[in-house]
Amino acid sequence: MSAPPLYGGIEAGGTKWVCAIADADGKVLATRVIPTTTPETTITAAVRFFRDHRTLAAVGVGSFGPVDLRTGSPTYGHITATPKPGWSGTDVVSPLRAALRVPVGLDTDVNAAALGEWRRGAGRGLGTVAYMTVGTGIGVGAVVNGRPLHGLLHPEFGHVRIPHDRTRDPFAGSCPFHGDCLEGLASGEAMRRRWGQRAEDLDDPAAWELEAEYVAHAVMNLTYALSPERIIVGGGVTRRAGLMGRTRARAFDLAAGYPEISALTDRAAMDEYVVSPSLGDHAGITGAVELAMRCFA
């Protein structure tokens, strides 16, 4: 009798790669954290981890990006123009596929997190779920009818425009492409540059009121653009005590009762609409394993 299949997952972040082996029920059996250094060193270390275990059925990768997800594109599976030094143009899929001789599924890190929460977390049982991470950068992934959202490329919601009152906040923004887009105003890097401190060390109430303002505008933009049944907000910045509560309260005010649906007209319902990830830091790797399962199927 053959052994039950095992699946590999990689949450490929700009700081670290989290690699995992999981069984057919999604239970993680082994993990390894690999620092994100050069592409060759990082990918080689990931291959070595997976080779230490019995044969896998497939591997799924949720990667920092942007990444080319267009099937048939000559650069499919490549990280494209990324701020991460040395990683622009890196082919992630082909080296893994060649070394491990298994199918490799790829999506963005935030789409993987959205898929993980949809499959096993705060989005379980829903048709449309959005996942927003607010950390060093800002990104959004979405699952629509059980499938991660793709299109021209994939969502790049961190670069949407939001209101910027320069009297209240004269900071020009940290985004190297757009200045004061959402990521340029509200990411952890933006907070560090604006206030001269890392978000986790920042105790100024005015700083967190401003952060809640920006994240609330992002929540409402997501609501009106995608109409998700739930918005899950994660990332290191959102761990600040009180930020989620302030964000919900401000989003409720911004909605102004429109449209007439309980999530936007009932403060208690808003608490169930904008939530923290129930999988915590494991949303991304859970989604990566789900990508592997889908790739194999």
Side-chain angles (χ1 to χ4, degrees), residues 132-139 186-188 211 215 233-239 243:
M132 177 164 59
T133 182
V134 185
T136 303
I138 294 179
S187 65
E211 182 68 7
V215 178
V233 185
V237 171
T238 65
R239 297 192 184 107
L243 178 62

Side-chain angles (χ1 to χ4, degrees), residues 157-222:
F157 194 82
H159 297 277
V160 298
R161 300 292 181 165
I162 57 174
H164 182 194
D165 180 348
R166 290 179 179 270
T167 300
R168 179 183 181 185
D169 179 22
F171 178 61
S174 64
C175 176
F177 298 100
H178 309 120
D180 62 349
C181 59
L182 173 62
E183 182 171 289
L185 292 175
S187 65
E189 177 62 14
M191 296 187 77
R192 184 189 68 79
R193 293 193 193 184
R194 180 192 289 108
W195 304 105
Q197 290 180 279
R198 299 181 305 170
E200 55 264 41
D201 300 324
L202 191 57
D203 287 323
D204 185 346
W208 291 105
E209 287 294 337
L210 183 64
E211 182 68 7
E213 175 78 13
Y214 289 144
V215 178
H217 275 285
V219 163
M220 292 315 303
N221 284 348
L222 259 181

Side-chain angles (χ1 to χ4, degrees), residues 83-127:
K84 178 70 175 175
W87 281 80
S88 291
T90 295
D91 184 352
V92 174
V93 169
S94 296
L96 291 171
R97 185 188 289 149
L100 299 172
R101 299 181 182 275
V102 296
V104 177
L106 175 71
D107 215 311
T108 66
D109 48 1
V110 281
N111 261 352
L115 186 60
E117 287 288 337
W118 174 83
R119 182 73 174 84
R120 304 184 187 277
R124 189 163 43 189
L126 301 177

Side-chain angles (χ1 to χ4, degrees), residues 11-142:
E11 184 181 9
T15 302
K16 62 185 178 182
W17 280 30
V18 180
C19 301
I21 303 285
D23 64 18
D25 294 321
K27 180 182 178 181
V28 173
L29 306 175
T31 61
R32 183 172 298 167
V33 177
I34 298 167
T36 308
T37 54
T38 65
E40 182 179 2
T41 300
T42 307
I43 294 171
T44 299
V47 167
R48 189 178 301 118
F49 165 73
F50 289 120
R51 280 181 170 167
D52 287 342
H53 299 268
R54 72 174 188 260
T55 304
L56 301 174
V59 172
V61 183
S63 176
F64 72 92
V67 291
D68 189 347
L69 303 176
R70 300 169 297 167
T71 304
S73 166
T75 55
Y76 168 79
H78 289 59
I79 295 172
T80 60
T82 178
K84 178 70 175 175
W87 281 80
S88 291
T90 295
D91 184 352
V92 174
V93 169
S94 296
L96 291 171
R97 185 188 289 149
L100 299 172
R101 299 181 182 275
V102 296
V104 177
L106 175 71
D107 215 311
T108 66
D109 48 1
V110 281
N111 261 352
L115 186 60
E117 287 288 337
W118 174 83
R119 182 73 174 84
R120 304 184 187 277
R124 189 163 43 189
L126 301 177
T128 305
V129 172
Y131 182 99
M132 177 164 59
T133 182
V134 185
T136 303
I138 294 179
V140 166

